[in-house]
Amino acid sequence: AAISSIVKELDKLLLVDAISSLGSVDLPVDKWRCDVTVTASQKGWMVPPGLAMVSVSKEAWQAHAKAKMPRFNWDFARAQKYLEIGQTPWTPAVSIVFALSVALDMMLREGLSNIFARHARVGDAAREGVKSLGFSLFADEKYASNTVTAVSVKDGLNVREMLRILREEYQIVLAGGQQSLQGKIFRIGHLGLITEQDIEEIISALNEVLPRVST
Ligand SMILES: Cc1ncc(COP(=O)(O)O)c(C=O)c1O
């Protein structure tokens, strides 16, 4: 809300990358005056990649009407027109729409506030767990995400080998760092269908593997 009030004062639109937060962390798009918010099926929605979901505010629709940038495939007006007759302009990833329908039923049963609370508990458990193993967090804990934890790695730890052992022997898939962070961090994704027990299993597996990959 603090960001949107500055954006609105400047008469601009607020575009929000909520790919990995929406559905897992509270994001009241109307209250916070987010103009275009984008999320994607493969994150908290618990289904494979293939669908992007977008919300568009009144101001964003007005900007869209005036925009001169050529558009065809990603034409929001075209998408909205088809939505009115329950269709999409192009063939969507139909299998994922069916999967999403099941996932949404699960989410409705659990309830949004319970989902957010579970992600907060799981995020806490992940952060406390890695700290208990002697790691430090990559991000300032004040801004820690409840959907992913990036963990800093000290020299002498073979991250690539650690991820391989976890994957092959424990069936646990964690991610390494990208680009300049390769070998310096690893990441635990904890969004969607995940519980505190999953985090306990990850921490206990890490505890077993660490002596094998440290020099
Ligand atoms: C915040 C955020 N933005 C963008 C992306 C990229 O999404 P995609 O891989 O669907 O393009 C991700 C994926 O991890 C993300 O977490």
Side-chain angles (χ1 to χ4, degrees):
I3 296 174
S4 68
S5 58
I6 297 169
V7 171
K8 299 291 165 180
E9 255 171 49
L10 299 170
D11 201 23
K12 305 285 181 208
L13 295 175
L14 179 59
L15 314 184
V16 182
D17 175 347
I19 301 279
S20 56
S21 56
L22 205 76
S24 302
V25 173
D26 195 18
L27 172 49
V29 291
D30 291 333
K31 191 164 146 212
W32 288 359
R33 300 168 75 196
C34 306
D35 290 298
V36 177
T37 306
V38 188
T39 184
S41 54
Q42 75 272 22
K43 301 290 182 179
W45 311 98
M46 305 177 283
V47 294
L51 283 182
M53 287 84 87
V54 185
S55 73
V56 185
S57 72
K58 206 163 91 218
E59 287 98 321
W61 278 116
Q62 285 159 359
H64 170 88
K66 284 188 277 171
K68 295 201 175 59
M69 194 189 281
R71 80 292 300 265
F72 187 72
N73 200 56
W74 297 112
D75 185 347
F76 284 2
R78 196 187 301 257
Q80 197 194 36
K81 196 167 128 253
Y82 275 85
L83 190 62
E84 282 162 17
I85 52 166
Q87 294 182 13
T88 49
W90 326 106
T91 310
V94 179
S95 52
I96 297 168
V97 176
F98 281 107
L100 185 63
S101 167
V102 175
L104 290 175
D105 282 343
M106 287 166 59
M107 292 174 79
L108 284 172
R109 272 199 300 277
E110 185 174 356
L112 267 189
S113 56
N114 292 331
I115 294 175
F116 300 152
R118 174 168 56 81
H119 280 80
R121 288 196 309 274
V122 164
D124 266 343
R127 292 185 288 275
E128 292 312 312
V130 290
K131 285 195 285 184
S132 77
L133 296 175
F135 286 112
S136 54
L137 302 173
F138 178 68
D140 184 334
E141 208 164 340
K142 279 202 297 270
Y143 310 108
S145 162
N146 285 335
T147 60
V148 65
T149 294
V151 184
S152 296
V153 165
K154 292 199 193 86
D155 287 344
L157 185 91
N158 186 338
V159 179
R160 183 193 279 254
E161 181 62 1
M162 180 182 87
L163 299 181
R164 185 193 67 75
I165 298 175
L166 286 171
R167 191 175 59 245
E168 291 180 7
E169 296 181 22
Y170 293 83
Q171 290 75 52
I172 291 174
V173 180
L174 303 186
Q178 291 171 317
Q179 297 170 10
S180 61
L181 291 175
Q182 207 169 14
K184 302 204 170 109
I185 62 164
F186 67 91
R187 291 170 295 156
I188 306 173
H190 38 79
L191 80 178
L193 198 61
I194 186 142
T195 60
E196 284 142 299
Q197 194 189 329
D198 296 317
I199 300 293
E200 269 170 38
E201 284 171 22
I202 294 169
I203 300 300
S204 123
L206 275 168
N207 193 28
E208 285 177 24
V209 174
L210 282 174
R212 293 167 60 188
V213 294
S214 308
T215 51

